[in-house]
């Protein structure tokens, strides 16, 4: 029963400043709800078991006024004030890094903005430096999505035509799980992403490596000949598509298909060959009908993108 109280996707096991505040808010609200519940149950027991004499009409109205209206209103007002005070506090501070995240059916376009203004695009995996505030700007290009990393912060909607802002303050190293928390179509449940919180020095080294071209060791002939480069980009190659996720350094990512599978050669082949069956509604066609040689070459090429 307590399995959801800890782990990489638990709001009750916070690893970030905002998540800690949200968890505290939950316990405070639970306590407030318990107080009101105990009052209601106490009144019911008093009226059904212990009060033997009829209560006057005036006395009954007084109980309704104080126990049914004034007391719950005061408790709820305190809870509301406590929750509202968190909003400006959690949105302040100068960010050490800005990350732009775009929700798309059914994956995440993630772009890091370096201090020098350079933009580095990735997909379906978010990396953050521990102990530093990170501003995340959120948009959607199709339908409403919702960006939620329960262990790090509360959820925030991604609305077409609007940019929302979230500040993440990760405080504990580790790998966490983010999800889309708003139903967005057939593969909504298959739209997740790992979040890796790293030491600042390790993060800086990783980001510099991500800015470089892919150090590919396999031939890209089959990849380009079958049209993959029309939808996907691989920096430093002829693949410049923008419809699908950027695949530069794909082999270094933890997962495939927006958090669906571990990033292994077997799963890469499976996802390329059975895309539409594994992720209904996705815009990428399945390539299982390709000759075995072409399919092997594409999978080998994807596995060399480091």
């Amino acid at each position: 029963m307590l399995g959801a109280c800890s782990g990489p996707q638990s709001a009750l096991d916070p690893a970030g400043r905002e998540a800690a505040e949200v968890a505290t808010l939950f316990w405070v609200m639970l306590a407030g709800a318990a107080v009101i519940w105990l009052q209601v149950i106490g009144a019911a027991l008093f009226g059904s078991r212990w009060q033997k004499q009829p209560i006057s009409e005036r006395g009954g109205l007084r109980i309704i006024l104080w126990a049914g209206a004034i007391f719950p209103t005061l408790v709820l007002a305190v809870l509301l004030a406590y929750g509202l005070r968190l909003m400006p506090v959690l949105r302040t501070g100068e960010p050490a890094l800005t990350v732009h995240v775009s929700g798309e059916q059914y994956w995440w376009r993630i772009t890091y903005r370096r201090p020098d203004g350079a933009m580095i695009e990735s997909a379906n995996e978010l990396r953050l430096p521990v102990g530093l505030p990170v501003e995340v700007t959120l948009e959607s290009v199709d339908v409403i999505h919702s960006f939620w990393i329960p262990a790090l912060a509360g959820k925030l909607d991604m609305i077409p035509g609007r940019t929302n802002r979230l500040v993440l303050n990760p405080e504990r190293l580790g790998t966490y799980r983010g999800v889309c928390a708003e139903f967005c179509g057939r593969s909504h449940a298959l739209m997740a992403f790992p979040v890796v919180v790293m030491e600042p020095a390790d993060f800086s080294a990783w980001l510099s490596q991500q800015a470089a071209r892919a150090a590919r060791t396999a031939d890209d002939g089959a990849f380009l000949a079958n049209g993959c480069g029309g939808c996907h980009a691989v920096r430093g190659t002829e693949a410049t598509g923008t419809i699908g996720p950027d695949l530069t350094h794909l082999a270094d990512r933890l997962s495939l298909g927006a958090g669906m599978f571990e990033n292994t050669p077997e799963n890469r082949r499976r996802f390329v060959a059975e895309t539409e069956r594994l992720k209904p509604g996705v815009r990428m066609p399945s390539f299982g009908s390709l000759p075995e040689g072409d399919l092997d070459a594409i999978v080998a090429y994807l596995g060399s993108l480091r």
Side-chain angles (χ1 to χ4, degrees):
M1 291 178 64
L2 299 179
C5 294
S6 63
Q9 194 183 328
S10 174
L12 299 180
D13 185 16
R17 179 184 171 194
E18 179 166 332
E21 294 285 3
V22 171
T24 301
L25 177 62
F26 167 78
W27 292 116
V28 170
M29 293 185 68
L30 182 63
V35 169
I36 294 177
W37 181 82
L38 288 172
Q39 179 196 16
V40 172
I41 296 301
L45 290 174
F46 177 79
S48 62
R49 291 180 177 271
W50 302 316
Q51 178 62 27
K52 303 302 182 180
Q53 299 298 324
I55 299 176
S56 66
E57 182 178 349
R58 184 173 182 179
L61 291 175
R62 188 179 297 113
I63 292 175
I64 292 173
L65 175 64
W66 285 98
I70 295 177
F71 182 75
T73 299
L74 290 175
V75 173
L76 294 175
V78 170
L79 293 175
L80 177 62
Y82 180 83
L84 291 177
R85 77 164 184 84
L86 300 178
M87 297 180 66
V89 175
L90 296 173
R91 298 294 185 268
T92 58
E94 188 66 27
L97 174 73
T98 298
V99 182
H100 178 75
V101 180
S102 175
E104 307 187 18
Q105 292 174 305
Y106 299 95
W107 61 283
W108 309 88
R109 189 187 302 271
I110 298 176
T111 306
Y112 299 85
R113 182 186 300 160
R114 301 182 69 174
D116 60 3
M119 308 295 283
I120 303 170
E121 184 167 323
S122 184
N124 297 326
E125 182 174 296
L126 180 62
R127 301 211 177 199
L128 303 169
V130 69
L132 298 175
V134 177
E135 179 185 59
V136 182
T137 58
L138 304 171
E139 294 182 347
S140 172
V141 300
D142 38 46
V143 300
I144 295 177
H145 301 279
S146 189
F147 182 85
W148 191 24
I149 311 171
L152 296 182
K155 62 183 177 181
L156 190 61
D157 282 352
M158 311 168 84
I159 302 171
R162 177 173 177 174
T163 299
N164 287 334
R165 176 177 176 268
L166 179 68
V167 177
L168 301 177
N169 288 273
E171 298 178 328
R172 193 173 75 208
L173 299 173
T175 300
Y176 307 97
R177 188 172 189 266
V179 296
C180 177
E182 181 79 24
F183 181 74
C184 57
R186 295 170 65 191
S187 287
H188 158 70
L190 305 176
M191 188 173 170
F193 58 100
V195 183
V196 183
V197 179
M198 314 168 68
E199 291 286 359
D202 294 337
F203 174 80
S204 295
W206 174 84
L207 193 59
S208 297
Q209 184 264 341
Q210 291 295 299
R213 296 180 176 183
R216 62 191 192 280
T217 57
D219 183 73
D220 62 357
F223 181 84
L224 296 175
N226 289 285
C228 304
C231 293
H232 299 283
V234 179
R235 286 193 296 276
T237 74
E238 297 178 26
T240 57
T242 59
I243 297 174
D246 187 299
L247 300 182
T248 310
H249 310 298
L250 171 70
D252 290 333
R253 296 174 192 166
L254 299 179
S255 68
L256 296 170
M260 288 181 63
F261 306 112
E262 183 182 355
N263 191 358
T264 66
E266 295 77 14
N267 286 335
R268 285 194 287 271
R269 182 186 183 89
R270 183 185 176 197
F271 191 78
V272 171
E274 305 176 57
T275 314
E276 294 171 302
R277 184 182 71 82
L278 296 173
K279 201 160 191 176
V282 73
R283 298 172 69 183
M284 176 178 165
S286 301
F287 285 86
S289 60
L290 290 179
E292 288 294 315
D294 281 6
L295 189 57
D296 289 340
I298 291 174
V299 173
Y301 176 66
L302 295 176
S304 73
L305 297 177
R306 297 188 178 277

